[in-house]
Each structure stands twice: as C-alpha cells, then as structure tokens.
C-alpha cells in the first residue's frame, strides 16, 4: 500500500501540472480508498472533498456517486450523522442518474442503518426494499443488505422471520465468501440473537453469551481488516446495543450525542463542538469498549496529522488528563496496555 500511495501521489502532481482534471479525480479517489482501508479518515476526507469540488467544475451538480458515498461513510464514522446521511442520499440520486446500481444499493443500506440507529424502522425498511431490488447475486453488498433486514425484522418482534432469513444468509456466506469480506455479518447475527432473547425465546443466557462471542469476533476481524463499512456496522451496533445488554441491564452512564456533539456524563452535558480533541477521544473509547491501544487512539483523535512518536504520546497524555479533570479521574483507565472507559457508554441520536 505504501508503494501504491507513493505512485498515486506522484500521479496527482503530474495531473495537476498538466491540468488533467478527470485523471486527477480518479487518482484522488484511489488515494482516498487507500486511506479508508487504513482507517485514516482525515486524509481520505481531504481527497474526497477535493475530488468533489473538481467534479462540480465539470457542471456535474451531484458529483461522482462513489465520492458522495465514501464521503458519507467517513462523515458518519466521524459522528456527523446528519451530514453523512445527506451525502449518502446524494449518492443515491447520483447513481440513479448514472445507472450505477451497486453503489446505490450500498448507499441505501447505509441510510437504512442510520434510520435504524435513529429508531426509524419504517424508513429503514423502505431503504432496504429499494436496495434489495438492485442486488440479485450473492455478493458482500447483497448479503449486507439482507443481513440488516434480518436483524431489523427480529428487533421489531418478527424473530422467527429474522432468524430464518439470517440462517439462509449465513449458509450462503459460508459457501461463497471469505470472512474478511463479511466482518459485518457477526454483528447482524448478534442483533438477531439479542432480539430473540428480548422477545422471550428460551435460554436467554445462552443467546446473550453467543451474541457476546460474535461481537468479540467481529471486533477482532475489523481490527485486522479495518474496512470502513464494517467499522460503521460496529459503531452502529454499540450505538443501539451497548455491551451491558449482552450481560445484564446496566444503563449507559456516558452517552455521546452524535448530532449535537455533546456528551452526557453524571447528570451534566459537555458541549464538544469547540472541543474536537475531547470528542474524538471519547468517540474512540466508545467505539472500542474492550480497550484501544495508544497508537489507535492517537490516529482516531489526530487522524494522520504528522508528529513525532514522542509528541503524539505527550499530546495523548494531555488529552486524557484534561478529559479526566472534566469528568472523573477514574473514568479512563489503562489496563494491560489498553485504554478503556470504566463505565458503560454508548451513542445516541438527537433525532430519536
């Protein structure tokens, strides 16, 4: 990837020099994809926004469908649900104009997941129905759409229907695709099992234990292959199903509101609109409740900013110290080399 990135950056310089706008857009898209696959949101966003601006000079008001889609995913991963939804919707409109069904199906699935996280199941079903009409073969995109539909049905009380659909998806996935392409699947299966436990199926403890295993497996897979859409699934899972629900009934004590960028803690609301470091710190800790390494937390907060390792560690220590002063000294703990929150946490949308 490093060599590919080096060649692409050189190609960007040449395209700029020659004024080859179409080629420049193509190179920027490929660079953004490399950054996304390495979970580097900030450089990916810069490339995508530049590509979108260049597209607008061609007289294309909607822009390239994939650029809108990828930028929408980046914004949602960064907690900007409203902006992300607008970009995903724009990607859907652009694909209708361009006739690109695969990207449209993916964008519709993303909108369905956002609607589900905002407790709008009817809208989620509408997005999924349109997406299902666009995918026929057994591909990761098709499996993702069907898996989201299965878990949504189960969470609405149609557990038998959801479980049968999920069983069929798992059989198809096992035959045709490697696990690295389907790291979202254990999360959707976990949702189905938790719904079964919630709506009174026998052996609730076993269902919750299996769901916890699936979440841990998915988290491990996504850490190994940090593909952006699977990271989105993990974030949305924890937004709706905090880990406490896998083992008990403890309520979240720290809640991140993704629309207003506020954090509820101990009866108070912390406004993080002008505290991006604080927001990204807690965002990273909430995204990985099992614990996160210092290097990953630094990337989450400063997103590819160039700095020496010593400077990065110092800035992280300062950020954690400031966060502890604003909340509680024991809220962020370091266990076995991993930073984690000492309380149950999760996300919420101000829309529902």
């Amino acid at each position: 990837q490093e060599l590919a990135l080096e060649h692409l950056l050189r190609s960007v310089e040449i395209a700029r020099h020659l004024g080859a706008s179409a080629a420049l857009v193509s190179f920027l898209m490929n660079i953004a994809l490399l950054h996304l696959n390495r979970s580097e949101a900030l450089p990916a966003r810069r490339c995508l926004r530049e590509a979108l601006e260049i597209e607008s000079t061609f007289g294309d008001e909607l822009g390239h469908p994939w650029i809108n889609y990828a930028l929408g995913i980046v914004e949602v991963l960064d907690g900007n649900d409203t902006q992300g939804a607008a970009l995903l919707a724009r990607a859907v409109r652009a694909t209708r104009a361009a006739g690109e069904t695969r990207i449209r199906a993916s964008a519709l699935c993303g909108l369905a997941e956002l609607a589900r996280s905002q407790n709008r199941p009817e809208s989620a079903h509408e997005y999924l129905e349109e997406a299902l009409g666009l995918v026929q073969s057994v591909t990761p995109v098709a499996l993702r759409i069907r898996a989201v539909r299965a878990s949504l049905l189960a969470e609405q009380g149609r557990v038998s229907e959801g479980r049968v659909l999920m069983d069929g998806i798992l059989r198809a996935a096992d035959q045709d695709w490697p696990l690295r392409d389907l790291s979202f699947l254990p999360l959707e299966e976990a949702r189905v099992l938790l719904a079964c436990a919630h709506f009174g199926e026998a052996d609730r403890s076993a269902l919750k234990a299996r769901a916890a295993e699936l979440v841990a497996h998915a988290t491990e897979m996504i850490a190994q292959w940090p593909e952006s859409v699977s990271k989105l699934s993990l974030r949305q899972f924890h937004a709706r199903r905090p880990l406490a629900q896998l083992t008990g009934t403890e309520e979240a004590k720290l809640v991140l509101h993704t629309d207003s960028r506020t954090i509820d803690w101990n009866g108070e609301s912390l406004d993080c609109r002008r505290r991006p470091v604080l927001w990204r710190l807690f965002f990273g800790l909430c995204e990985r409740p099992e614990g996160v390494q210092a290097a990953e937390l630094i990337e989450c907060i400063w997103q590819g900013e160039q700095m020496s390792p010593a400077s990065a560690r110092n800035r992280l220590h300062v950020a954690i110290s400031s966060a502890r002063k604003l909340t509680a000294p024991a809220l962020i703990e370091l266990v076995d080399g991993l930073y984690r929150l000492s309380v149950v946490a999760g996300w919420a949308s101000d829309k529902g």
Side-chain angles (χ1 to χ4, degrees):
Q1 285 192 353
E2 290 296 335
L3 184 60
L5 184 58
E6 182 181 335
H7 285 304
L8 283 167
L9 289 171
R10 176 60 181 154
S11 298
V12 164
E13 292 178 9
I14 295 171
R16 288 191 204 280
H17 179 71
L18 297 175
S21 298
L24 180 56
V25 167
S26 178
F27 294 141
L28 287 169
M29 288 168 60
N30 281 283
I31 292 172
L33 183 58
L34 283 175
H35 284 306
L36 286 173
N37 287 338
R38 302 196 309 188
S39 299
E40 297 169 351
L42 189 60
R45 182 190 283 111
R46 283 199 298 262
C47 290
L48 291 167
R49 285 180 173 169
E50 182 179 354
L52 205 57
E53 288 175 7
I54 296 170
E55 286 269 305
S56 67
T57 65
F58 300 160
D60 186 352
E61 293 183 1
L62 292 175
H64 193 287
W66 185 85
I67 299 175
N68 283 288
Y69 169 70
L71 192 52
I73 295 295
V74 168
E75 294 296 346
V76 175
L77 280 172
D78 202 28
N80 302 320
D81 287 3
T82 301
Q83 191 170 354
L87 285 160
L88 290 173
R90 183 165 153 165
V92 170
R93 296 195 301 274
T95 54
R96 287 189 180 127
E100 297 186 26
T101 57
R102 185 181 63 83
I103 298 175
R104 191 194 322 171
S106 298
L108 286 164
C109 189
L111 287 167
E113 290 196 72
L114 275 174
R116 176 174 62 180
S117 72
Q118 296 168 352
N119 199 27
R120 296 187 291 115
E122 295 80 8
S123 296
H125 276 300
E126 289 177 8
Y127 290 131
L128 291 172
E129 284 300 319
E130 183 176 351
L132 284 168
L134 301 170
V135 291
Q136 304 300 328
S137 57
V138 180
T139 63
V141 172
L143 291 170
R144 178 183 180 80
I145 294 166
R146 290 166 186 153
V148 171
R149 183 169 181 267
S151 61
L152 185 61
L153 288 170
E155 289 174 337
Q156 290 187 287
R158 298 160 66 179
V159 291
S160 297
E161 191 176 347
R163 201 160 192 178
V164 168
L165 182 56
M166 181 58 72
D167 287 344
I169 293 165
L170 292 171
R171 285 194 299 272
D174 187 53
Q175 295 173 3
D176 294 303
W177 292 96
L179 288 176
R180 65 174 296 166
D181 292 332
L182 304 172
S183 48
F184 59 85
L185 202 49
L187 296 170
E188 299 304 331
E189 185 183 359
R191 283 178 178 270
V192 172
L193 295 181
L194 288 170
C196 292
H198 177 76
F199 286 104
E201 278 199 15
D203 209 355
R204 293 185 183 183
S205 296
L207 289 169
K208 288 187 174 184
R210 176 56 182 157
E213 290 175 2
L214 288 167
V215 174
H217 178 51
T219 303
E220 183 180 337
M221 291 168 64
I222 292 168
Q224 186 175 358
W225 301 302
E227 197 269 332
S228 296
V229 175
S230 293
K231 285 185 67 180
L232 176 62
S233 292
L234 185 64
R235 191 215 130 180
Q236 299 288 26
F237 177 89
H238 288 304
R240 291 282 290 164
R241 297 284 182 184
L243 287 183
Q245 294 190 22
L246 302 180
T247 55
T249 58
E250 184 181 357
E251 294 295 328
K253 291 184 170 62
L254 185 144
V255 179
L256 275 69
H257 292 267
T258 55
D259 293 310
S260 61
R261 289 219 165 190
T262 58
I263 299 175
D264 289 345
W265 161 252
N266 201 27
E268 297 182 1
S269 180
L270 301 176
D271 189 342
C272 295
R273 287 173 296 179
R274 296 186 179 181
R275 294 169 170 167
V277 170
L278 182 68
W279 174 262
R280 291 182 188 277
L281 171 62
F282 279 113
F283 193 98
L285 292 167
C286 286
E287 195 173 35
R288 296 282 296 278
E290 74 285 358
V292 56
Q293 294 181 353
E296 295 174 292
L297 206 48
I298 289 166
E299 173 59 32
C300 177
I301 297 171
W302 289 285
Q303 299 189 339
E305 182 178 331
Q306 295 299 311
M307 66 183 93
S308 68
S311 175
R313 287 193 298 270
N314 182 62
R315 291 174 72 176
L316 178 62
H317 292 158
V318 170
I320 291 172
S321 176
S322 299
R324 285 169 171 161
K325 288 177 181 177
L326 284 169
T327 53
L331 181 60
I332 302 173
E333 55 188 13
L334 181 62
V335 180
D336 296 329
L338 298 177
Y339 288 100
R340 69 185 188 189
L341 294 170
S342 60
V343 300
V344 176
W347 285 276
S349 170
D350 302 312
K351 295 181 178 179

